[in-house]
Amino acid sequence: MLSNNKKILEHAYYHRYAVGGFNAPNLEIAMAIIEAGAKQKSPVIVESSKSEMHHAGAELLAAIVRRAAEKYNIPISIHLDHGDSYETVREAIEAGYTSVHIDGSGLPFEENMNVTKKVVALAHKHGVSVEGEVGKVLTPKFEGEDSNRSDFFTNPEEAQLFYKETKIDSLAISVGTSHGAYKGETKLDLERISRINHLLGIPLVLHGGSMCPEKQLRQAIFNGVAKVNINTELRLAFTNSIREHLEKNPEEHVPYNFLGPAKEEVKKVVDEKLKLFGSCGKA
Ligand code: 13P
């Protein structure tokens, strides 16, 4: 059934589990996420960055997820990940997304608040939920190796003010994870998560969930993280499977012969994450 992040994450937050925000740029990955969720009776969030959304076409990607949500009896949300502007958010909402992330973390704090307020006004008018971001989760490949630098971490008092002013539904925080395949050792600042949780009392979102040690993830979830974003591990499962198939079968030219198995590999990763996040049976 179609849902949005507000409904999905409030349940998760109060029952101390997390829902996966899984990135999908195409039919195969979107359906791997949804089928794994259905098998485990778990809510799922199918999300796409601006580039992923444009790869498939916003309306078509939303249509795939919305149609699947009619078929499967689990809460499913379609969410814009790292919306970079009011215009990108509007495009997603017009295409049928039920939830958006406005990432103003590269802007000065006041400007981040202003654009987030505008997004909340538009989104809430349409019943669409909003994830804001304070502090910055870096991507080592583009922003340098030393991406877990604590000067980018979320300041709890700033986060509290941000929430009071913007009335976002959930908050992405920077507490020691980073995006992508090339990250150093993860060391989550659990005290910071707990302090932000204490001050805000809303679902917190952990970006850069791929390759994060399981024990730390469980502790983060216990301390208020209700959504964990996973992209890189799905990308690796999908592309490694295709690479292997094409290396073994250089003459292959039938797409479903390699897209089918690649989808199954993604499903396995999603299945493991749903178990780790504690969302199985919560649909
Ligand atoms: P990873 O690619 O590190 O899993 O991060 C995904 C993410 O945070 C998407 O917003």
Side-chain angles (χ1 to χ4, degrees):
M1 73 206 75
L2 189 66
S3 189
N4 65 29
N5 284 17
K6 183 175 166 64
K7 289 184 214 154
I8 289 177
L9 296 184
E10 271 175 3
H11 189 270
Y13 182 70
Y14 287 110
H15 293 85
R16 291 214 172 161
Y17 66 93
V19 179
F22 298 106
N23 288 68
N26 62 6
L27 171 73
E28 285 79 13
I29 298 181
M31 289 315 298
I33 297 161
I34 291 168
E35 287 173 19
K39 183 180 148 214
Q40 291 296 351
K41 300 194 175 16
S42 163
V44 288
I45 295 166
V46 181
E47 62 185 28
S48 43
S49 65
K50 183 179 168 182
S51 324
E52 289 166 336
M53 175 172 88
H54 286 164
H55 165 75
E59 280 183 12
L60 294 181
L61 197 52
I64 289 169
V65 176
R66 292 178 75 99
R67 178 71 188 95
E70 289 171 12
K71 250 181 90 176
Y72 292 90
N73 201 23
I74 53 168
I76 300 173
S77 163
I78 171 134
H79 173 75
L80 171 69
D81 185 32
H82 292 287
D84 59 350
S85 65
Y86 181 82
E87 288 68 35
T88 307
V89 164
R90 190 171 51 197
E91 184 187 352
I93 292 174
E94 282 172 1
Y97 280 56
T98 59
S99 179
V100 293
H101 169 210
I102 174 71
D103 179 2
S105 65
L107 300 170
F109 183 69
E110 285 287 327
E111 283 178 42
N112 185 5
M113 267 201 316
N114 288 341
V115 70
T116 305
K117 266 189 219 170
K118 267 181 78 183
V119 162
V120 169
L122 174 73
H124 284 180
K125 205 166 69 189
H126 290 86
V128 166
S129 35
V130 180
E131 175 182 323
E133 181 160 338
V134 174
K136 189 163 172 54
V137 182
L138 300 179
T139 307
K141 189 172 177 198
F142 303 112
E143 288 155 320
E145 282 308 301
D146 192 14
S147 283
N148 292 334
R149 280 162 40 197
S150 54
D151 43 327
F152 287 98
F153 282 10
T154 306
N155 174 310
E157 283 72 31
E158 267 188 12
Q160 186 183 32
L161 173 65
F162 190 88
Y163 170 53
K164 232 179 91 195
E165 292 289 319
T166 60
K167 299 288 181 290
I168 44 169
D169 303 297
S170 61
L171 182 73
I173 52 174
S174 172
V175 288
T177 51
S178 53
H179 293 114
Y182 309 97
K183 38 188 132 200
E185 193 195 335
T186 303
K187 201 174 169 309
L188 288 183
D189 187 342
L190 293 168
E191 260 179 49
R192 190 179 296 263
I193 300 175
S194 166
R195 172 103 183 115
I196 300 168
N197 186 30
H198 175 73
L199 290 177
L200 273 70
I202 61 168
L204 302 177
V205 179
L206 192 68
H207 282 244
S210 293
M211 283 98 82
C212 184
E214 294 193 358
K215 185 169 168 212
Q216 292 189 44
L217 268 180
R218 281 198 199 94
Q219 287 168 326
I221 293 167
F222 183 79
N223 282 291
V225 166
K227 173 172 178 264
V228 180
N229 284 6
I230 303 283
N231 193 1
T232 300
E233 285 190 54
L234 307 189
R235 287 177 167 182
L236 289 171
F238 194 70
T239 50
N240 285 342
S241 167
I242 294 173
R243 190 177 295 115
E244 237 171 73
H245 181 95
L246 294 180
E247 274 170 8
K248 274 194 212 141
N249 306 277
E251 303 293 315
E252 180 67 82
H253 61 282
V254 181
Y256 54 71
N257 282 346
F258 52 87
L259 292 174
K263 176 184 161 192
E264 290 308 309
E265 290 306 310
V266 173
K267 243 165 132 173
K268 284 185 204 161
V269 177
V270 175
D271 193 74
E272 279 167 23
K273 299 298 175 194
L274 300 178
K275 289 177 190 153
L276 172 62
F277 300 162
S279 65
C280 299
K282 299 294 201 305

